[in-house]
Amino acid sequence: MSLVAEFEIRCDALPLVGVAATVPDATVLLELQYNHGNRPLFIATVTGGSRTTIEAAFADAVDVADWSLIGRAGETRRYQLTPALSFEEQLGNEIDDLAGLEALATAEAVIERIEVEPNGWRQTGWFADRDAFTAFSSFWQHNAGFRLHRLTRDRTPEPPGDGLTDCQHEALRTAYELGHFDVPRRASLEEVAAELDISASSVSERLRRAQTRLIRETIATTWPPLST
């Protein structure tokens, strides 16, 4: 039976990590279009953050040759990016085993979700069996930082919200208990931040990421395609 894994790869050299670091209040999801030769196009779905800052980050990124906005819906924007570097050029200074990196492309695995974070990628993937997962995780353990969040059988249901981080859980629970989501609102973002003893911007980022995760796990599959 196959396995479903959620994990982090900590490597500053991964594509678009510099962009995510520039706009930490945005959620950046990445898709790789492998039907475009050695340098697959990137499709970046960005929720939140300043559009001006995000697009300036794309323009300044050393790993992005060109970009274009292809659709938007509310605070979510979808971009097509042309990479400036091959994976070997991008990761060559950080990873010694480039042959092993190439071998991962033929592994019995499907990575269905990549969230770009300021210091790496958070991914969810399906693996044919434990050997396939072990080969994948061992490579990244030896060549970068690897942290496993969840490993389940493919038939094990995952309740909505189970993929939230502890900090996101705490922020959501505190905001709810204080009445931040009530109508009318009984607690401001600043009051939630004071309760958690962190900045208002950090609370905003945690709530945004948590809400994005919950939406994606519950109703995102029913949304219509992004329109231009």
Side-chain angles (χ1 to χ4, degrees):
M1 185 180 293
S2 62
L3 300 173
V4 180
E6 183 178 343
F7 50 89
E8 297 176 34
I9 297 173
R10 292 308 181 197
C11 178
D12 293 340
L14 286 168
L16 302 189
V17 168
V19 171
T22 301
V23 194
D25 57 338
T27 299
V28 181
L29 301 182
L30 176 64
E31 301 170 43
L32 306 179
Q33 305 295 297
Y34 282 108
N35 57 331
H36 289 272
N38 293 330
R39 296 187 184 182
L41 294 178
F42 299 155
I43 302 297
T45 302
V46 183
T47 302
S50 162
R51 175 178 173 178
T52 300
T53 304
I54 291 165
E55 294 179 355
F58 287 150
D60 293 340
V62 297
D63 49 2
V64 176
D66 194 15
W67 62 270
S68 61
L69 176 67
I70 60 175
R72 61 180 179 272
E75 289 191 342
T76 297
R77 295 171 294 278
R78 185 167 292 170
Y79 297 89
Q80 179 174 283
L81 312 174
T82 303
L85 306 170
S86 67
F87 263 39
E88 290 76 10
E89 292 169 332
Q90 179 120 23
L91 300 174
N93 291 332
E94 297 290 331
I95 294 176
D96 295 328
D97 185 10
L98 289 179
L101 178 64
E102 293 177 358
L104 290 185
T106 60
E108 294 182 300
V110 175
I111 303 301
E112 66 178 7
R113 180 177 179 277
I114 301 172
E115 179 175 347
V116 186
E117 299 185 332
N119 56 0
W121 285 359
R122 185 177 181 121
Q123 298 180 278
T124 301
W126 295 65
F127 296 84
D129 50 36
R130 185 167 290 276
D131 287 343
F133 174 73
T134 298
F136 184 94
S137 58
S138 295
F139 173 85
W140 288 111
Q141 286 169 356
H142 286 93
N143 290 278
F146 182 89
R147 180 185 177 190
L148 178 64
H149 287 275
R150 184 175 294 99
L151 184 64
T152 61
R153 298 292 183 184
D154 61 357
R155 294 179 185 174
T156 303
E158 180 179 302
D162 199 40
L164 298 179
T165 67
D166 291 342
C167 288
Q168 289 167 355
H169 269 294
E170 182 184 29
L172 273 179
R173 185 183 65 251
T174 302
Y176 175 78
E177 291 175 348
L178 292 178
H180 180 69
F181 300 117
D182 289 356
V183 180
R185 181 167 290 170
R186 294 190 293 110
S188 67
L189 196 64
E190 289 73 18
E191 289 171 317
V192 177
E195 181 69 18
L196 294 170
D197 196 25
I198 58 177
S199 69
S201 62
S202 294
V203 172
S204 177
E205 178 185 348
R206 290 180 188 180
L207 291 178
R208 187 185 301 279
R209 288 182 181 275
Q211 290 167 323
T212 299
R213 175 86 188 201
L214 289 173
I215 291 169
R216 183 165 50 246
E217 291 178 350
T218 54
I219 66 171
T221 56
T222 68
W223 286 2
L226 290 171
S227 58
T228 56

Short mmCIF file of all heavy atoms in Angstrom, two decimals, residues 111-136:
data_model
loop_
_atom_site.label_atom_id
_atom_site.label_comp_id
_atom_site.label_asym_id
_atom_site.label_seq_id
_atom_site.Cartn_x
_atom_site.Cartn_y
_atom_site.Cartn_z
N ILE A 111 4.67 14.28 -6.14
CA ILE A 111 4.58 15.41 -5.21
C ILE A 111 3.39 16.25 -5.66
O ILE A 111 3.39 16.83 -6.74
CB ILE A 111 5.87 16.25 -5.23
CG1 ILE A 111 7.08 15.37 -4.88
CG2 ILE A 111 5.74 17.41 -4.25
CD1 ILE A 111 7.00 14.70 -3.53
N GLU A 112 2.35 16.30 -4.83
CA GLU A 112 1.12 16.97 -5.25
C GLU A 112 1.01 18.40 -4.73
O GLU A 112 0.15 19.15 -5.18
CB GLU A 112 -0.10 16.17 -4.82
CG GLU A 112 -0.31 16.09 -3.32
CD GLU A 112 -1.58 15.32 -2.97
OE1 GLU A 112 -2.21 14.75 -3.89
OE2 GLU A 112 -1.94 15.30 -1.78
N ARG A 113 1.85 18.76 -3.80
CA ARG A 113 1.75 20.12 -3.25
C ARG A 113 3.12 20.59 -2.78
O ARG A 113 3.83 19.87 -2.08
CB ARG A 113 0.76 20.16 -2.09
CG ARG A 113 0.60 21.54 -1.46
CD ARG A 113 -0.44 21.53 -0.36
NE ARG A 113 -0.59 22.84 0.24
CZ ARG A 113 0.19 23.32 1.21
NH1 ARG A 113 1.18 22.55 1.69
NH2 ARG A 113 0.00 24.51 1.70
N ILE A 114 3.50 21.80 -3.20
CA ILE A 114 4.74 22.43 -2.75
C ILE A 114 4.38 23.83 -2.25
O ILE A 114 3.90 24.66 -3.02
CB ILE A 114 5.78 22.55 -3.88
CG1 ILE A 114 6.13 21.18 -4.46
CG2 ILE A 114 7.04 23.26 -3.37
CD1 ILE A 114 7.00 21.25 -5.70
N GLU A 115 4.62 24.08 -0.97
CA GLU A 115 4.48 25.44 -0.44
C GLU A 115 5.88 25.98 -0.22
O GLU A 115 6.69 25.38 0.50
CB GLU A 115 3.70 25.46 0.86
CG GLU A 115 3.57 26.88 1.43
CD GLU A 115 2.70 26.97 2.66
OE1 GLU A 115 1.98 25.98 2.96
OE2 GLU A 115 2.72 28.02 3.34
N VAL A 116 6.18 27.11 -0.85
CA VAL A 116 7.50 27.71 -0.75
C VAL A 116 7.55 28.55 0.52
O VAL A 116 6.71 29.43 0.73
CB VAL A 116 7.83 28.57 -1.98
CG1 VAL A 116 9.27 29.06 -1.90
CG2 VAL A 116 7.61 27.77 -3.26
N GLU A 117 8.54 28.31 1.36
CA GLU A 117 8.70 29.04 2.61
C GLU A 117 10.04 29.78 2.58
O GLU A 117 10.88 29.53 1.71
CB GLU A 117 8.61 28.07 3.78
CG GLU A 117 7.24 27.37 3.85
CD GLU A 117 7.07 26.50 5.07
OE1 GLU A 117 8.09 25.99 5.60
OE2 GLU A 117 5.92 26.34 5.51
N PRO A 118 10.26 30.70 3.53
CA PRO A 118 11.48 31.52 3.49
C PRO A 118 12.79 30.75 3.63
O PRO A 118 13.85 31.31 3.36
CB PRO A 118 11.28 32.48 4.67
CG PRO A 118 9.81 32.60 4.82
CD PRO A 118 9.29 31.22 4.51
N ASN A 119 12.73 29.48 4.02
CA ASN A 119 13.97 28.70 4.13
C ASN A 119 13.87 27.32 3.51
O ASN A 119 14.64 26.43 3.83
CB ASN A 119 14.41 28.59 5.59
CG ASN A 119 13.34 27.99 6.46
OD1 ASN A 119 12.26 27.65 5.98
ND2 ASN A 119 13.62 27.86 7.74
N GLY A 120 12.90 27.12 2.62
CA GLY A 120 12.79 25.83 1.96
C GLY A 120 11.40 25.56 1.42
O GLY A 120 10.62 26.48 1.18
N TRP A 121 11.10 24.29 1.22
CA TRP A 121 9.80 23.86 0.69
C TRP A 121 9.10 22.97 1.72
O TRP A 121 9.73 22.12 2.37
CB TRP A 121 9.97 23.02 -0.58
CG TRP A 121 10.32 23.80 -1.80
CD1 TRP A 121 10.48 25.15 -1.93
CD2 TRP A 121 10.55 23.25 -3.11
NE1 TRP A 121 10.81 25.48 -3.22
CE2 TRP A 121 10.85 24.34 -3.96
CE3 TRP A 121 10.53 21.96 -3.62
CZ2 TRP A 121 11.13 24.14 -5.31
CZ3 TRP A 121 10.82 21.77 -4.96
CH2 TRP A 121 11.11 22.86 -5.81
N ARG A 122 7.79 23.14 1.83
CA ARG A 122 6.95 22.20 2.58
C ARG A 122 6.12 21.46 1.54
O ARG A 122 5.43 22.08 0.74
CB ARG A 122 6.06 22.94 3.58
CG ARG A 122 5.24 21.99 4.48
CD ARG A 122 4.43 22.78 5.49
NE ARG A 122 3.68 21.89 6.36
CZ ARG A 122 3.80 21.84 7.68
NH1 ARG A 122 4.66 22.65 8.29
NH2 ARG A 122 3.07 21.02 8.40
N GLN A 123 6.20 20.14 1.55
CA GLN A 123 5.60 19.35 0.48
C GLN A 123 4.68 18.25 1.02
O GLN A 123 4.84 17.77 2.14
CB GLN A 123 6.69 18.68 -0.36
CG GLN A 123 7.61 19.66 -1.06
CD GLN A 123 8.67 18.95 -1.87
OE1 GLN A 123 9.68 18.52 -1.35
NE2 GLN A 123 8.43 18.82 -3.16
N THR A 124 3.73 17.86 0.17
CA THR A 124 2.92 16.67 0.40
C THR A 124 3.09 15.78 -0.82
O THR A 124 2.98 16.25 -1.95
CB THR A 124 1.44 17.02 0.59
OG1 THR A 124 1.30 17.90 1.70
CG2 THR A 124 0.62 15.77 0.83
N GLY A 125 3.38 14.51 -0.59
CA GLY A 125 3.62 13.60 -1.71
C GLY A 125 3.10 12.21 -1.45
O GLY A 125 2.89 11.80 -0.30
N TRP A 126 2.86 11.48 -2.53
CA TRP A 126 2.45 10.08 -2.51
C TRP A 126 3.64 9.23 -2.92
O TRP A 126 4.30 9.52 -3.93
CB TRP A 126 1.28 9.83 -3.46
CG TRP A 126 0.02 10.55 -3.09
CD1 TRP A 126 -0.19 11.89 -3.08
CD2 TRP A 126 -1.21 9.94 -2.68
NE1 TRP A 126 -1.48 12.17 -2.69
CE2 TRP A 126 -2.13 10.99 -2.44
CE3 TRP A 126 -1.62 8.62 -2.51
CZ2 TRP A 126 -3.43 10.74 -2.03
CZ3 TRP A 126 -2.92 8.38 -2.10
CH2 TRP A 126 -3.81 9.44 -1.86
N PHE A 127 3.89 8.16 -2.18
CA PHE A 127 5.02 7.28 -2.45
C PHE A 127 4.51 5.85 -2.61
O PHE A 127 3.64 5.40 -1.85
CB PHE A 127 6.05 7.37 -1.32
CG PHE A 127 6.68 8.73 -1.20
CD1 PHE A 127 6.04 9.73 -0.48
CD2 PHE A 127 7.87 9.02 -1.84
CE1 PHE A 127 6.58 11.00 -0.38
CE2 PHE A 127 8.43 10.29 -1.75
CZ PHE A 127 7.78 11.29 -1.02
N ALA A 128 5.04 5.15 -3.59
CA ALA A 128 4.54 3.82 -3.93
C ALA A 128 4.63 2.85 -2.75
O ALA A 128 3.76 2.02 -2.55
CB ALA A 128 5.30 3.26 -5.13
N ASP A 129 5.72 2.95 -1.97
CA ASP A 129 5.91 2.08 -0.82
C ASP A 129 6.94 2.71 0.10
O ASP A 129 7.46 3.79 -0.17
CB ASP A 129 6.34 0.67 -1.25
CG ASP A 129 7.52 0.68 -2.21
OD1 ASP A 129 8.41 1.56 -2.05
OD2 ASP A 129 7.56 -0.15 -3.13
N ARG A 130 7.24 2.04 1.20
CA ARG A 130 8.18 2.61 2.16
C ARG A 130 9.58 2.74 1.58
O ARG A 130 10.32 3.66 1.91
CB ARG A 130 8.20 1.76 3.44
CG ARG A 130 9.08 2.36 4.55
CD ARG A 130 8.84 1.71 5.88
NE ARG A 130 7.53 2.03 6.42
CZ ARG A 130 7.28 3.15 7.12
NH1 ARG A 130 8.24 4.04 7.31
NH2 ARG A 130 6.07 3.37 7.59
N ASP A 131 9.98 1.81 0.71
CA ASP A 131 11.31 1.91 0.10
C ASP A 131 11.43 3.19 -0.72
O ASP A 131 12.47 3.86 -0.69
CB ASP A 131 11.58 0.70 -0.79
CG ASP A 131 11.83 -0.57 0.02
OD1 ASP A 131 12.11 -0.45 1.22
OD2 ASP A 131 11.74 -1.67 -0.57
N ALA A 132 10.38 3.53 -1.47
CA ALA A 132 10.41 4.75 -2.27
C ALA A 132 10.51 5.98 -1.38
O ALA A 132 11.28 6.92 -1.67
CB ALA A 132 9.16 4.84 -3.15
N PHE A 133 9.77 5.98 -0.28
CA PHE A 133 9.84 7.12 0.64
C PHE A 133 11.20 7.19 1.31
O PHE A 133 11.78 8.28 1.46
CB PHE A 133 8.75 7.03 1.70
CG PHE A 133 8.87 8.11 2.75
CD1 PHE A 133 8.54 9.42 2.46
CD2 PHE A 133 9.35 7.79 4.01
CE1 PHE A 133 8.68 10.42 3.41
CE2 PHE A 133 9.49 8.79 4.97
CZ PHE A 133 9.16 10.11 4.66
N THR A 134 11.74 6.06 1.71
CA THR A 134 13.04 6.03 2.37
C THR A 134 14.14 6.56 1.46
O THR A 134 15.01 7.33 1.89
CB THR A 134 13.39 4.61 2.83
OG1 THR A 134 12.41 4.17 3.78
CG2 THR A 134 14.76 4.56 3.48
N ALA A 135 14.11 6.18 0.18
CA ALA A 135 15.10 6.68 -0.77
C ALA A 135 15.00 8.19 -0.91
O ALA A 135 16.02 8.90 -0.94
CB ALA A 135 14.92 6.00 -2.12
N PHE A 136 13.78 8.70 -0.99
CA PHE A 136 13.55 10.14 -1.13
C PHE A 136 14.01 10.89 0.11
O PHE A 136 14.77 11.85 0.04
CB PHE A 136 12.07 10.39 -1.39
CG PHE A 136 11.71 11.83 -1.64
CD1 PHE A 136 11.64 12.33 -2.93
CD2 PHE A 136 11.42 12.68 -0.58
CE1 PHE A 136 11.31 13.65 -3.16
CE2 PHE A 136 11.09 14.00 -0.80
CZ PHE A 136 11.04 14.49 -2.09
#
